[in-house]
Amino acid sequence: MYYYGLDIGGTKIELAVFNQKLEKLHSERVNTPKEDYHEWLEAVAGLVERADSRFDCKGTVGIGVPGFVNRESGLAEITNIRAADNRPIIFDLSQRLDREVRAENDANCFAISEAWAEENQQYPFVLGLILGTGFGGGLVFNGKAHAGHVGMAGELGHIQLNYHALKLLGWDKAPIYECGCGNRACLDTYLSGRGFEMLYRDLKGEALPAKTIIERFYANDATAVSFVQLFIELTAISIGNIITVLDPDMIVLGGGLSNFDYLYQALPKALPAHLMRSAVVPVIKKAKYGDSGGVRGAAALFLSR
């Protein structure tokens, strides 16, 4: 049996083929059709059919999408891929490929991939957090994603700043950012790499890329050090709330900002002040599979423990 995982991005669609141990055997990428739905379906189907031919089988098809498929309506909510948005992609792909197709949010696929790592299978509940262009999450219980009633569970980026976060940032000077979801002060615009840069700009008065801020931090630049300490506290306040609600066994961090290694030293120390007395800070790890996590997790949609 071969397991196909597809990562549906706004620019590229990647298909990868895995065996039962989730070892990658093959991959291919094509450009994402942006306007025509039929072209989008054929791009996905073409990748699958070429893999079928290469491996002389009908592999399972799991896809990760930057959004979710509404479980009630069957329609995809993928606002950054107009061709597939508000379309019955699972029904149409299943018909086109003559097999079951499963789909999950790309953050869930990231978390599934990490939860299926051999060393992480000891943790029943894995919480994946992506600190990338945005901030999002995936919830995985015993190797399976929890998507919720309509499919949007794990949209942690759209929790909003709380009292303690606003107090930390300064009541009279806290920058309040508009979010792409239509609300304001969502964590997506603060805990992301983009938020890291915007906060430095607005609190420290200088527009710098995250990489430069982190380099200055490691060089003991006083401004960068004070900013990073504030960002760690803001992150601890926000993730502390999430831990209080979910109580995960393990947290895995992905996205560009997850490569800031100081996080793994500082966060476990900062979190206890924002948790209930009996709470335990979960194991916090850096993602193992990086850019391969999306396709790997999508392929694992057909695996069970």
Side-chain angles (χ1 to χ4, degrees):
M1 172 67 75
Y2 294 100
Y3 299 86
Y4 303 169
L6 290 109
D7 185 16
I8 310 293
T11 304
K12 299 283 186 183
I13 301 172
E14 179 182 3
L15 173 141
V17 179
F18 298 83
N19 61 19
Q20 197 153 6
K21 294 181 179 179
L22 286 180
E23 296 166 331
K24 187 191 287 190
L25 307 174
H26 166 72
S27 66
E28 182 185 357
R29 288 186 177 189
V30 298
N31 293 330
T32 304
K34 292 183 169 56
E35 302 295 334
D36 186 273
Y37 181 52
H38 178 74
E39 287 182 12
W40 184 88
L41 287 174
E42 288 303 309
V44 174
L47 285 167
V48 170
E49 288 168 348
R50 287 192 293 277
D52 285 349
S53 178
R54 182 185 182 99
F55 290 90
D56 192 25
C57 74
K58 281 180 82 167
T60 64
V61 179
I63 65 175
V65 297
F68 65 97
V69 177
N70 189 304
R71 294 187 172 211
E72 292 190 328
S73 68
L75 300 178
E77 297 197 25
I78 312 174
T79 55
N80 67 331
I81 305 176
R82 187 177 304 171
D85 187 39
N86 207 34
R87 300 280 192 168
I89 63 172
I90 299 305
F91 177 82
D92 289 343
L93 283 170
S94 297
Q95 293 286 105
R96 173 67 179 75
L97 293 168
D98 189 30
R99 75 196 77 176
E100 181 185 3
V101 174
R102 298 179 184 176
E104 272 296 347
N105 171 266
D106 51 9
N108 282 345
C109 289
F110 155 75
I112 291 169
S113 175
E114 298 298 326
W116 274 93
E118 187 174 354
E119 64 271 27
N120 294 338
Q121 292 187 32
Q122 63 183 298
Y123 302 111
F125 175 18
V126 174
L127 170 63
L129 297 177
I130 297 177
L131 291 75
T133 305
F135 173 73
L139 319 177
V140 180
F141 296 88
N142 296 315
K144 293 289 186 183
H146 173 70
H149 180 59
V150 298
M152 63 184 293
E155 290 287 353
L156 302 174
H158 301 292
I159 296 172
Q160 291 151 13
L161 292 180
N162 69 6
Y163 164 89
H164 298 285
L166 289 167
K167 181 180 178 183
L168 174 71
L169 293 174
W171 298 111
D172 57 342
K173 63 178 183 179
I176 303 300
Y177 301 128
E178 301 283 342
C179 181
C181 75
N183 286 321
R184 305 177 78 199
C186 291
L187 296 185
D188 189 75
T189 53
Y190 294 84
L191 302 192
S192 57
R194 174 172 47 100
F196 185 81
E197 294 174 348
M198 292 194 302
L199 282 170
Y200 190 88
R201 178 196 67 199
D202 294 338
L203 296 178
K204 300 301 182 182
E206 188 177 10
L208 294 173
K211 181 180 178 182
T212 302
I213 298 166
I214 291 168
E215 286 172 351
R216 290 188 179 186
F217 167 79
Y218 282 125
N220 288 318
D221 174 84
T223 302
V225 168
S226 68
F227 171 75
V228 166
Q229 298 300 349
L230 179 143
F231 185 81
I232 291 291
E233 186 68 8
L234 177 65
T235 303
I237 289 168
S238 304
I239 292 179
N241 279 349
I242 294 167
I243 292 171
T244 298
V245 173
L246 297 176
D247 194 19
D249 297 291
M250 173 186 144
I251 294 175
V252 59
L253 303 182
L257 207 54
S258 73
N259 294 314
F260 183 17
D261 287 340
Y262 181 69
L263 290 174
Y264 304 93
Q265 173 187 337
L267 260 182
K269 294 177 182 176
L271 277 167
H274 304 291
L275 299 176
M276 295 180 68
R277 184 179 61 207
S278 299
V280 174
V281 175
V283 173
I284 301 176
K285 293 187 178 186
K286 183 192 292 188
K288 179 177 181 178
Y289 294 99
D291 292 341
S292 297
V295 287
R296 191 172 180 274
L301 294 176
F302 281 84
L303 293 178
S304 60
R305 290 182 184 165

